[in-house]
Amino acid sequence: MRRRTPTALRSLPALLLAVFLSLTVTAPTAQATQALRTPHRDTQAPSSFVELRDIDPTIIEDIRYATPHNFTGVPITGYDQPLCLLTRSTAQALHRAQLQLLRRGYSLKVYDCFRPQRAVDHLR
């Protein structure tokens, strides 16, 4: 007998399955529901990129490469501040999924989000 996929899962954007990001569904925390965030500086990203927190501040961001709390033990060059930069369409897709998850008591969590060339060079 074939199991049917729940309707809620079928309605999640297919893009989420193809996104190279590591995503975790987790129970929301104070951080997930906190609307106020630390102010951030302007970035020099291409105009097609946005900060995820500007599209959906409820998605939990874990940007460890900007801190020594990663596998190298030091901040990675290129991660000058803990930002999650994504294309606008990806951020909007994550926002739509987040709205569905929050209604069920869950939240998305994203890790690091992008890798600048300086970070690639640092990790070699």
Side-chain angles (χ1 to χ4, degrees):
M1 178 180 227
R2 225 168 100 174
R3 291 177 57 186
R4 295 192 60 163
T5 304
T7 304
L9 293 179
R10 284 191 305 238
S11 65
L12 288 176
L15 176 61
L16 292 177
L17 298 176
V19 171
F20 65 92
L21 302 174
S22 297
L23 299 176
T24 302
V25 178
T26 182
T29 65
Q31 179 187 5
T33 57
Q34 176 184 4
L36 299 175
R37 297 266 186 138
T38 306
H40 52 280
R41 298 181 297 220
D42 292 331
T43 62
Q44 296 180 8
S47 61
S48 60
F49 282 73
V50 296
E51 289 186 46
L52 179 59
R53 73 178 84 177
D54 291 340
I55 303 298
D56 191 324
T58 67
I59 296 174
I60 301 166
E61 298 178 15
D62 192 351
I63 315 298
R64 293 185 182 202
Y65 284 165
T67 73
H69 187 57
N70 64 61
F71 75 97
T72 68
V74 297
I76 303 297
T77 304
Y79 290 92
D80 301 326
Q81 48 188 320
L83 299 176
C84 179
L85 295 175
L86 302 168
T87 62
R88 180 172 299 280
S89 61
T90 301
Q92 290 169 337
L94 292 174
H95 171 67
R96 290 189 301 272
Q98 177 74 341
L99 292 175
Q100 293 179 17
L101 290 167
L102 286 174
R103 284 188 286 249
R104 291 168 178 78
Y106 296 98
S107 176
L108 289 174
K109 181 175 185 178
V110 296
Y111 299 90
D112 297 312
C113 298
F114 73 105
R115 181 159 299 160
Q117 184 60 49
R118 290 181 296 156
V120 172
D121 297 341
H122 180 122
L123 295 170
R124 286 186 186 172

